[in-house]
Amino acid sequence: MDTDDRPARTALDPRLDSPVDRPLDPRGDRVHLVLPPSSEFLRTVRLVAADAAMRSGCDLDDVEDFRIAVDELSHLLMTSTDHSVHVTFASFDGQVRARGSARARPGASGTLDKVSAMIVRATADEHHIVTEAGEVTFDVVKRARRGADDVASTRLASPS
């Protein structure tokens, strides 16, 4: 259990100067998860990532790509900390974004191994990982290949 009462400095903290902390688009739908640092909870992260990507208008291939990238980056956080992991998803205007943060365990590298880094590069349109001030944060973006208007018309044309 996370017994640290200090407020977590999350990737949404406006005091950070890194690309990870650029404000999320206020028009988007947001979901914020706070999870124990255990890979048992990666399933929850993957489910929310897939839902957020679908809401942004991503096709099935893009949904799967985003889900995989978020899984790899969340696993990095979970293996770098003994504290709660925070992941926020935002879906808007044909793109989906996830930001995650966790206080780093002393000695944790906060970097992806070669295979995980290759997977994230192949599945995300952009991503950043920052390790500073005792915290590991990530930001990952996937853009929908088709426009939001196409998604809306597909939903309207689909039989219920």
Side-chain angles (χ1 to χ4, degrees):
M1 180 170 191
D2 192 354
T3 59
D4 189 358
D5 293 331
R6 182 182 80 144
R9 195 179 105 188
T10 70
L12 300 176
D13 189 330
R15 295 169 291 176
L16 294 175
D17 294 328
S18 69
V20 171
D21 192 54
R22 292 191 183 121
L24 292 172
D25 189 312
R27 298 168 291 170
D29 294 331
R30 292 187 193 186
V31 175
H32 184 77
L33 299 176
V34 180
L35 306 156
S38 169
S39 60
E40 293 176 22
F41 293 92
L42 283 172
R43 180 181 309 176
T44 302
V45 174
R46 289 190 301 264
L47 288 170
V48 175
D51 181 69
M54 289 294 292
R55 289 176 185 278
S56 73
C58 289
D59 64 21
L60 291 178
D61 289 335
D62 291 338
V63 168
E64 185 66 10
D65 284 350
F66 184 69
R67 188 185 67 77
I68 290 168
V70 170
D71 179 79
E72 292 293 331
L73 292 163
S74 296
H75 185 262
L76 168 67
L77 293 183
M78 290 178 177
T79 58
S80 298
T81 190
D82 295 320
H83 300 281
S84 294
V85 173
H86 298 258
V87 183
T88 299
F89 297 89
S91 305
F92 55 94
D93 293 339
Q95 76 175 18
V96 61
R97 173 173 296 217
R99 289 188 176 166
S101 67
R103 185 165 323 149
R105 179 185 315 110
S109 72
T111 59
L112 294 169
D113 61 51
K114 288 182 181 182
V115 173
S116 292
M118 180 181 66
I119 290 168
V120 172
R121 280 192 307 272
T123 57
D125 290 330
E126 62 182 83
H127 75 282
H128 304 279
I129 302 168
V130 177
T131 304
E132 65 181 19
E135 188 164 19
V136 180
T137 58
F138 74 77
D139 184 45
V140 60
V141 175
K142 187 69 178 179
R143 290 176 192 85
R145 292 184 214 180
R146 58 184 183 164
D149 292 337
D150 293 339
V151 173
S153 63
T154 300
R155 288 185 186 151
L156 291 174
S158 299
S160 298

